[in-house]
Amino acid sequence: MGLRMPHCLAALLVALVAVEAMIVMGASHSKGNDDAECDYQLVSPVGGTGQERAFCKGKGACYYKTLTCPAECAERKPKDKKKKGCFINCGTKCEATCKRRKPDCDGYGSVCYDPRFVGGDGAMFYFHGAKGGDFALVSDKNLHINAHFIGTRPAGRTRDYTWVQAVSIMFDTHTLDLAAKKVSKWDDKIDCLAVRWNGEIIRIPTSGEAEWRTNGGDREVVVERTDDANSMKVSVKGLLELDVKVTPIGKEENIVHNYQVPDNDAFAHLETQFRFKGLTDQVEGVLGKTYRPGYVSPVKKGVDMPIMGGEDKYSTASLHSTVCEACKFQRPTGYEISAY
């Protein structure tokens, strides 16, 4: 017994140290929900090269460290929007890397195609919803996100092909809408991404910083162009970051999948990738629930199209409704925003 006690104490100490390390590092329970990632302050760039630098302030693996952007992508917001930007991560990754400033449709928190999701647990699944329907993607204490689906049902098919045409981000008393405009013929040079703040159309500048910003209460909101047209990045302080792009159904894609989209509609839709901050353990929604700690996906593995159900639980009456069977978010009493 005398020999076993020190061994047990050592094991206990190791466990306590591991737990303490997780607390100090601010370890997130799921990908894309690391509050320290963007908690940094920019400092003077490297002389001669212009490489931007950031001083990390969030408690975690990067606390009080200074990260420097690689020479290949010296700036977070390159003037040439075709170039890769510097992504600074002061969270558990503790790195500055070069990335395309567009949604990664294979990355955590992505919603693309017809529509295909990659959850906070890394599992891929499809959620078809219904054309003309609205569904809660995320519903939590401080955040609610709905998606509006468009679609088509070719002859002989038993269900709709669907795509996400618009998303509505709701928090406090504010609403930020991003929507793909309906167009008959697609042109990459024509901007088809509409943005509304609290029901009013906002114009995102195309020159200078190419961004629009405002204060939503205590939360700064920034919408920034990441290409000359049809591509933007959205940040809501303390809640989320979102890369969004408008894309059409191409001719080849239409033929391969037999979508049978009409000649007078390009079926412009959104490709999105979310990065969340501060989600609670009770978060709900088609995408939101995949960020719960210990979440186990119910979809079948090893099949080409694993389907996630739940249309009944997450269906809402409109793009701006926060009411559904499983929804958590509640607007202040009497608050309402008109549809458009």
Side-chain angles (χ1 to χ4, degrees):
M1 291 294 291
L3 294 175
R4 293 177 60 189
M5 185 61 69
H7 177 76
C8 294
L9 285 173
L12 178 59
L13 286 172
V14 169
L16 288 172
V17 168
V19 170
E20 183 180 4
M22 289 183 68
I23 294 172
V24 171
M25 291 176 65
S28 170
H29 63 248
S30 52
K31 297 289 185 179
N33 193 25
D34 189 342
D35 294 333
E37 283 185 7
C38 299
D39 191 1
Y40 60 77
Q41 179 179 342
L42 292 177
V43 295
S44 57
V46 177
T49 66
Q51 291 165 256
E52 292 186 353
R53 299 188 301 162
F55 177 72
C56 298
K57 300 189 297 180
K59 294 291 182 68
C62 246
Y63 187 48
Y64 267 46
K65 290 186 178 181
T66 298
L67 301 180
T68 303
C69 291
E72 302 91 314
C73 57
E75 300 173 310
R76 294 172 303 119
K77 302 178 181 181
K79 294 180 177 62
D80 182 353
K81 297 183 179 63
K82 303 294 183 184
K83 291 184 177 180
K84 291 183 178 181
C86 173
F87 278 66
I88 296 171
N89 187 321
C90 282
T92 53
K93 288 187 176 180
C94 192
E95 63 182 7
T97 55
C98 299
K99 294 183 182 179
R100 291 180 65 247
R101 305 180 73 217
K102 303 289 173 63
D104 177 3
C105 287
D106 294 319
Y108 291 93
S110 61
V111 184
C112 301
Y113 314 131
D114 56 344
R116 193 192 74 171
F117 290 67
V118 179
D121 60 340
M124 182 271 286
F125 63 91
Y126 288 81
F127 177 84
H128 291 307
K131 65 177 180 179
D134 299 280
F135 299 90
L137 299 187
V138 176
S139 189
D140 203 9
K141 180 181 178 180
N142 297 317
L143 175 68
H144 188 97
I145 303 173
N146 281 347
H148 179 73
F149 286 36
I150 55 173
T152 181
R153 184 179 297 191
R157 191 173 155 79
T158 58
R159 66 186 305 163
D160 302 327
Y161 286 116
T162 53
W163 299 270
V164 173
Q165 179 266 334
V167 294
S168 183
I169 302 167
M170 292 167 271
F171 60 96
D172 302 330
T173 60
H174 301 290
T175 300
L176 180 66
D177 296 327
L178 306 161
K181 299 177 183 177
K182 184 175 180 178
V183 291
S184 56
K185 300 294 182 182
W186 182 258
D187 185 337
D188 287 331
K189 296 180 181 179
I190 298 177
D191 196 14
C192 296
L193 181 51
V195 184
R196 288 179 183 253
W197 171 248
N198 293 336
E200 299 294 328
I201 295 175
I202 60 173
R203 309 292 182 186
I204 313 302
T206 56
S207 58
E209 290 292 313
E211 67 180 29
W212 172 92
R213 62 176 61 220
T214 189
N215 284 322
D218 295 330
R219 304 186 189 279
E220 185 180 48
V221 180
V222 182
V223 182
E224 173 201 351
R225 290 191 183 276
T226 50
D227 206 338
D228 295 330
N230 298 310
S231 182
M232 297 183 190
K233 177 182 177 180
V234 174
S235 301
V236 181
K237 185 178 180 180
L239 289 180
L240 63 82
E241 289 185 349
L242 164 64
D243 291 313
V244 59
K245 175 185 176 183
V246 177
T247 191
I249 299 297
K251 290 183 179 180
E252 183 177 346
E253 183 182 4
N254 186 33
I255 294 172
V256 169
H257 295 284
N258 192 31
Y259 289 142
Q260 298 181 34
V261 299
D263 293 334
N264 63 347
D265 193 343
F267 268 77
H269 59 282
L270 304 181
E271 292 182 351
T272 57
Q273 185 182 17
F274 296 89
R275 292 176 294 279
F276 299 107
K277 313 294 176 186
L279 294 176
T280 72
D281 292 350
Q282 289 75 45
V283 60
E284 265 289 1
V286 180
L287 177 64
K289 66 181 178 182
T290 68
Y291 285 83
R292 289 180 176 181
Y295 174 78
V296 178
S297 177
V299 300
K300 291 183 179 179
K301 298 180 179 179
V303 298
D304 291 336
M305 292 188 67
I307 305 297
M308 178 77 77
E311 287 88 347
D312 54 339
K313 291 176 60 178
Y314 302 117
S315 177
T316 62
S318 71
L319 181 64
H320 299 124
S321 172
T322 60
V323 179
C324 73
E325 184 181 317
C327 288
K328 302 289 185 181
F329 183 79
Q330 291 186 344
R331 285 288 203 189
T333 303
Y335 179 85
E336 183 177 352
I337 185 169
S338 59
Y340 59 88

